[in-house]
């Protein structure tokens, strides 16, 4: 029996341009989902003006212009902060996508499951269903909806 | 332009091993949380193990993470659904908090008056008995098994006739409705008389007052007539009620006057004395509350206002002092922290309408203005007093319960405060414990959705929750958790005593 290979962390270079009160860079959509790019960018709307554009297929160009004057060191720190948030945003995006099914299931059971409070419509629907089940001749069932009609029998 | 490069480390993620969770760095560690309100601290290595699917039977964190629903292996869907259902029990229950503005008249003129009070000669801002009856008829249609009529103003006791009528008529009506019915009064005590006080005690109307701090501070914030001392007056009536509760045989643990304070810039110089005063008066709770952008506070902000950061510095100092007093054996609860702690440490939600997802606007609370206009919440009627009726959802004279509850504005408020669909909230570790106020967003940004990084409420909630988790993260002997758990205990009478404005 062979031991399964453990996934390893990967390193990558994050290249950016630094200018007067701004930083800019391109993000590869094959590495980062568009929602993750939006998510990371959103966190900076209090401090920066954000400009997103598409310069090439699957490449998103991001430019952050600070609202207040910033030193070079502050801009470098800003780039680092954005890069960290981008990594986090991508992780969160993937966790959300991978677990969406589970989440949908427990949410559905919590809000629409048997433990939920019945509305009068639910109760009436239950009573109707019971009446239909007891009605061998299917008297209340419209002719066009009867199983026989739907099978094409006349 | 100059080109730079930094090196990034991308963590591996084994998706099929995970259940849904959110995470963030708190107290130097990774805090993971989930929809069911479970939370767990992980060190760097264990967090990477979680992402990489390396938390298996032999791992030190396996048992805790599995039990709390963070792992796919052994995830119990039914249990998760039950926990979610319990946490979100308030959804669909119908409004329980019915705020009634019996009058806008008030004999105080507070610098920050959120309600935009009117002068005492403005009798046209009194609620008529006919309108009061229509308010009760409408409010009692709520399917909520618990109904609380909260009287606000102006100074609500200025129109005692409407207040008394609502109490008596709703009691009468409740003989058939059989709901858990309560009444609470938010009063500045400046219009209180012995006759009214005795009636309130006899009729079990819960009394909550405003006490901003020591004499100088209270009188500065809450201007009264030149020859009157607002502070001395409120102290006199707190003593009167508390004494009379004991004399008529009520349990003082459950029956006592509660007080609320509003923080102005001047409070920053007196934060310690404010806490000491509440302790001296034997108050069970102190609710540290910032100014809000409603009413007169908008105009006086430059003089008495402050930034979120300044408020949160004040909060942290005062909170630390309150905790220190608790550690020394004195019992006093900080109200906002207690709301968060109930979400963090118990299986329930305290159903505090300001910190809910979706928020309680129109679904957990409704505000009825003196003229019968219905609003989604108290903040909405405060906005109306500033000339903006955008959040009106009806008029008691001609609106049915279904029209009010199903109003498009109520739905819009629910959508704008449902954190699962709000950018930043949906991925924030604090999401299970937090709540959004669309009215606050609207007043600060002109948009009920707002932007999280620009939201003072977001900063406030995030910081308060962080402070609490920092204490829980570094609590080896459990001394903080012991106090915090005590703060989450809700005694029956206190269900409705957290008067909110």
């Amino acid at each position: 029996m062979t031991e399964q290979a453990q996934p390893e962390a990967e390193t990558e270079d994050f290249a950016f341009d630094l200018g007067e009160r701004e930083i800019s860079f391109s993000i590869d959509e094959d590495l980062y989902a568009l929602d993750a790019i939006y998510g990371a960018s959103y966190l900076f709307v209090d401090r920066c003006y954000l400009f997103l554009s598409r310069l090439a297929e699957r490449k998103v160009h991001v430019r952050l212009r600070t609202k207040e004057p910033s030193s070079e060191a502050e801009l470098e720190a800003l780039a680092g902060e954005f890069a960290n948030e981008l990594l986090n945003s991508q992780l969160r995006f993937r966790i959300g996508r991978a677990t969406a099914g589970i989440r949908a299931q427990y949410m559905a059971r919590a809000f629409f499951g048997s433990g939920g409070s019945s509305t009068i419509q639910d109760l009436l629907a239950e009573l109707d269903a019971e009446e239909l089940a007891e009605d061998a001749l299917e008297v209340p069932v419209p002719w066009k909806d009867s199983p026989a009609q739907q099978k094409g029998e006349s | 332009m100059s080109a730079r490069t930094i090196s990034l480390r991308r963590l591996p993620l084994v998706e099929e091993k995970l259940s849904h969770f959110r995470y963030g760095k708190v107290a130097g560690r990774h805090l993971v949380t989930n929809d069911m309100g479970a939370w767990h601290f992980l060190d760097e290595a264990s967090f990477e193990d979680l992402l990489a699917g390396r938390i298996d039977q032999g791992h030190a964190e396996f048992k805790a993470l599995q039990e709390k629903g963070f792992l796919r292996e052994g995830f119990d869907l039914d249990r998760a659904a039950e926990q979610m259902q319990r946490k979100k029990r308030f959804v669909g229950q119908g409004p329980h908090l019915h705020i009634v503005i019996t009058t806008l008249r008030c004999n105080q003129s507070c610098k920050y008056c959120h309600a935009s009070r009117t002068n005492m000669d403005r009798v046209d801002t009194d609620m008529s008995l006919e309108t009061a009856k229509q308010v009760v008829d409408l409010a009692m249609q709520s399917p909520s098994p618990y109904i609380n009529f909260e009287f606000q103003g102006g100074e609500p006791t200025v129109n005692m006739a409407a207040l008394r009528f609502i109490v008596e008529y709703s009691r009468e009506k409740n003989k058939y409705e059989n709901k858990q019915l309560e009444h609470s009064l938010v009063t500045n005590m400046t219009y209180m008389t012995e006759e009214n006080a005795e009636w309130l005690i006899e009729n079990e109307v819960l009394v909550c007052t405003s006490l901003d701090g020591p004499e100088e501070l209270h009188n500065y914030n809450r201007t009264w007539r030149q020859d009157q001392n607002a502070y001395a007056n409120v102290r006199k009536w707190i003593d009167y009620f508390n004494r009379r509760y004991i004399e008529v045989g009520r349990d003082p643990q459950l029956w006592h006057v509660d007080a609320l304070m509003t923080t102005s810039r001047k409070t920053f110089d007196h934060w310690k004395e404010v806490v000491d005063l509440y302790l001296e008066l034997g108050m069970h709770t102190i609710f540290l509350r910032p100014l809000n952008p409603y009413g007169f506070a908008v105009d006086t902000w430059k003089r008495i206002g402050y930034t979120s950061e300044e408020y949160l510095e004040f909060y942290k100092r005062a909170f630390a002092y309150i905790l220190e007093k608790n550690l020394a054996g004195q019992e006093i609860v900080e109200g906002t922290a207690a709301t968060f702690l109930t979400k963090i440490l118990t299986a329930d939600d305290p159903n505090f309408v300001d910190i809910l997802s979706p928020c309680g606007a129109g679904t957990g609370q409704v505000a009825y203005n003196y003229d019968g206009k219905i609003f989604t919440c108290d903040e909405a009627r405060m906005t109306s007093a500033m000339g903006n009726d955008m959040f009106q959802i009806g008029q008691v004279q001609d609106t049915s319960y279904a029209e009010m509850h199903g109003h498009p504005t109520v739905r819009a408020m629910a959508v704008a405060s449902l954190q699962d669909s709000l950018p930043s909230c949906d991925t924030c570790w604090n999401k299970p414990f937090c709540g959004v106020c669309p009215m606050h967003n609207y007043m600060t940004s002109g948009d009920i959705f707002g932007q999280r990084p620009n939201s003072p409420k977001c900063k406030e909630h995030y910081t308060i929750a962080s402070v609490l988790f920092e204490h829980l993260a570094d609590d080896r002997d459990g001394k903080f958790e012991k106090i915090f758990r005590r703060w989450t205990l809700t005694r029956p009478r206190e269900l409705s005593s957290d008067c909110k404005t």
Side-chain angles (χ1 to χ4, degrees):
Chain A
M1 200 168 149
T2 56
E3 204 170 282
Q4 216 174 350
Q6 293 288 329
E8 295 294 329
E10 294 169 15
T11 54
E12 68 171 85
D13 286 339
F14 180 80
F16 62 97
D17 290 321
L18 192 147
E20 176 76 24
R21 272 176 67 173
E22 69 174 48
I23 54 168
S24 60
F25 39 85
S26 282
I27 304 173
D28 188 341
E29 276 187 76
D30 290 333
L31 290 176
Y32 298 97
L34 192 57
D35 279 353
I37 300 170
Y38 288 152
S41 304
Y42 184 72
L43 296 175
F44 292 83
V45 296
D46 55 338
R47 287 178 284 162
C48 303
Y49 300 106
L50 279 121
F51 305 90
L52 273 70
S53 56
R54 195 187 291 287
L55 298 182
E57 184 77 6
R58 301 197 61 73
K59 296 268 189 223
V60 177
H61 186 260
V62 179
R63 184 160 67 95
L64 282 87
R65 183 168 172 76
T66 60
K67 291 180 179 175
E68 302 292 332
S70 306
S71 67
E72 200 174 306
E74 285 168 338
L75 289 170
E76 278 190 340
L78 181 68
E81 207 182 323
F82 189 96
N84 278 340
E85 290 302 344
L86 185 61
L87 288 168
N88 276 324
S89 193
Q90 175 68 6
L91 265 181
R92 289 177 176 129
F93 171 78
R94 287 183 64 194
I95 293 166
R97 189 183 57 187
T99 58
I102 297 176
R103 213 174 161 215
Q105 283 200 45
Y106 64 67
M107 290 275 191
R109 287 189 200 189
F111 293 108
F112 309 107
S114 54
S117 58
S118 297
T119 63
I120 189 69
Q121 282 76 14
D122 294 335
L123 291 170
L124 288 171
E126 268 177 44
L127 285 172
D128 285 348
E130 279 171 20
E131 279 174 15
L132 280 175
E134 288 164 5
D135 178 24
L137 297 173
E138 296 179 342
V139 175
V141 181
W143 172 78
K144 65 182 177 59
D145 293 339
S146 75
Q149 183 64 23
Q150 285 175 359
K151 280 181 199 162
E153 295 169 17
S154 55
Chain B
M1 285 276 179
S2 62
R4 309 282 166 95
T5 302
I6 45 181
S7 186
L8 299 184
R9 185 163 171 267
R10 276 200 294 151
L11 298 174
L13 187 72
V14 177
E15 297 180 355
E16 64 273 17
K17 294 249 187 171
L18 300 175
S19 177
H20 182 260
F21 67 91
R22 302 175 179 85
Y23 69 89
K25 267 278 180 73
V26 178
R29 290 152 75 189
H30 291 275
L31 175 64
V32 290
T33 67
N34 63 24
D35 284 325
M36 286 68 76
W39 53 273
H40 195 72
F41 277 104
L42 292 171
D43 61 24
E44 192 71 42
S46 294
F47 180 66
E48 290 190 18
D49 287 343
L50 173 66
L51 295 176
R54 293 191 291 258
I55 307 267
D56 48 25
Q57 295 269 2
H59 197 286
E61 299 288 2
F62 177 80
K63 195 164 174 268
L65 288 172
Q66 190 187 52
E67 169 69 25
K68 293 175 180 178
F70 289 105
L71 302 178
R72 185 84 58 105
E73 186 183 342
F75 185 81
D76 187 341
L77 265 177
D78 289 326
R79 185 162 164 256
E82 276 168 26
Q83 289 169 327
M84 268 299 287
Q85 196 178 51
R86 187 163 170 182
K87 280 276 180 197
K88 297 286 176 185
R89 196 162 40 188
F90 58 87
V91 174
Q93 268 197 342
H96 65 278
L97 179 62
H98 298 267
I99 294 171
V100 188
I101 316 305
T102 57
T103 182
L104 275 185
R105 290 194 286 155
C106 185
N107 48 359
Q108 274 192 311
S109 187
C110 303
K111 289 188 171 55
Y112 50 70
C113 180
H114 293 132
S116 306
R117 46 77 76 181
T118 57
N119 287 331
M120 290 300 282
D121 58 353
R122 288 285 308 277
V123 286
D124 58 308
T125 64
D126 282 0
M127 181 177 274
S128 70
L129 295 189
E130 192 187 355
T131 302
K133 180 177 181 296
Q134 287 160 330
V135 165
V136 175
D137 287 338
L138 196 57
M140 298 286 282
Q141 289 178 48
S142 169
S144 174
Y146 167 72
I147 299 284
N148 179 19
F149 285 99
E150 182 175 295
F151 301 106
Q152 298 248 7
E155 167 47 43
T157 57
V158 170
N159 187 3
M160 199 63 192
L163 194 158
R164 287 174 77 138
F165 175 81
I166 289 170
V167 172
E168 284 162 0
Y169 180 54
S170 60
R171 287 244 169 85
E172 199 56 34
K173 222 173 151 61
N174 200 43
K175 286 179 181 165
Y176 306 97
E177 300 287 349
N178 288 319
K179 291 174 185 289
Q180 188 186 337
L181 180 66
E182 295 208 335
H183 304 91
S184 46
L185 165 67
V186 182
T187 173
N188 61 24
M189 302 282 196
T190 55
Y191 215 71
M192 191 58 68
T193 62
E194 276 196 27
E195 185 194 345
N196 287 342
E198 290 303 321
W199 186 89
L200 292 165
I201 293 165
E202 192 188 328
N203 284 276
E204 301 193 339
V205 176
L206 307 166
V207 177
C208 181
T209 191
S210 300
L211 182 62
D212 281 1
E215 185 166 359
E216 183 199 342
L217 175 61
H218 185 86
N219 288 344
Y220 170 82
N221 283 348
R222 307 185 63 85
T223 316
W224 198 13
R225 292 195 307 263
Q226 220 166 17
D227 57 334
Q228 295 282 350
N229 183 332
Y231 174 81
N233 182 67
V234 79
R235 291 262 332 229
K236 180 185 97 178
W237 285 107
I238 289 172
D239 290 346
Y240 181 90
F241 275 95
N242 288 344
R243 178 173 54 79
R244 290 291 295 138
Y245 286 139
I246 293 169
E247 284 171 3
V248 298
R250 305 263 173 84
D251 177 358
Q253 282 293 317
L254 303 180
W255 286 93
H256 50 262
V257 175
D258 280 314
L260 294 170
M261 57 82 68
T262 302
T263 309
S264 71
R265 169 166 285 283
K266 204 173 170 67
T267 315
F268 294 164
D269 302 328
H270 300 275
W271 62 271
K272 207 169 187 176
E273 293 140 83
V274 176
V275 178
D276 285 338
L277 175 65
Y278 273 65
L279 280 165
E280 181 196 325
L281 289 173
M283 296 281 182
H284 297 232
T285 303
I286 179 166
F287 228 120
L288 300 175
R289 303 181 317 152
L291 278 175
N292 281 313
Y294 307 103
F296 298 170
V298 173
D299 295 326
T300 55
W301 198 274
K302 273 189 182 158
R303 250 189 321 146
I304 61 167
Y306 36 78
T307 64
S308 300
E309 288 74 17
E310 286 172 313
Y311 173 73
L312 289 167
E313 274 312 304
F314 152 78
Y315 180 89
K316 282 192 235 178
R317 277 200 303 267
F319 175 83
Y321 186 58
I322 292 166
L323 204 51
E324 189 187 310
K325 290 288 177 188
N326 274 271
L327 286 167
Q330 286 183 277
E331 280 195 32
I332 187 161
V333 175
E334 197 292 296
T336 310
T339 300
F340 277 96
L341 287 167
T342 306
K343 293 164 185 260
I344 292 167
L345 295 175
T346 77
D348 293 304
D349 190 287
N351 201 5
F352 182 67
V353 289
D354 289 1
I355 311 177
L356 273 186
S357 169
C359 79
T363 52
Q365 69 164 312
V366 178
Y368 308 87
N369 212 353
Y370 68 92
D371 54 1
K373 283 182 179 173
I374 312 167
F375 295 94
T376 51
C377 51
D378 201 22
E379 288 77 4
R381 71 94 187 181
M382 291 172 184
T383 309
S384 160
M386 298 164 75
N388 183 346
D389 279 346
M390 191 188 280
F391 300 92
Q392 186 181 347
I393 54 173
Q395 184 88 32
V396 290
Q397 291 81 356
D398 56 16
T399 301
S400 70
Y401 177 81
E403 285 167 339
M404 169 181 96
H405 191 58
H407 196 280
T409 302
V410 173
R411 281 184 256 162
M413 298 294 257
V415 171
S417 59
L418 184 68
Q419 293 174 294
D420 303 76
S421 61
L422 298 177
S424 265
C425 287
D426 185 37
T427 50
C428 178
W429 60 263
N430 194 26
K431 189 252 163 189
F433 320 113
C434 197
V436 170
C437 177
M439 277 309 305
H440 200 278
N441 283 339
Y442 178 75
M443 291 306 289
T444 50
S445 71
D447 169 12
I448 56 172
F449 286 87
Q451 288 181 325
R452 242 54 60 214
N454 285 315
S455 160
K457 273 285 163 220
C458 175
K459 277 194 190 83
E460 184 189 328
H461 291 169
Y462 188 91
T463 305
I464 292 173
S466 296
V467 167
L468 298 173
F469 273 114
E470 279 161 14
H471 283 86
L472 290 168
D474 186 23
D475 189 25
R476 284 193 181 85
D477 53 2
K479 63 181 179 184
F480 294 130
E481 188 173 338
K482 196 174 161 196
I483 291 167
F484 288 169
R485 285 205 180 271
R486 217 162 45 221
W487 289 11
T488 68
L489 296 176
T490 310
R491 284 156 291 200
R493 180 215 176 268
E494 286 168 351
L495 276 171
S496 58
S497 68
D498 47 353
C499 12
K500 56 186 288 297
T501 29

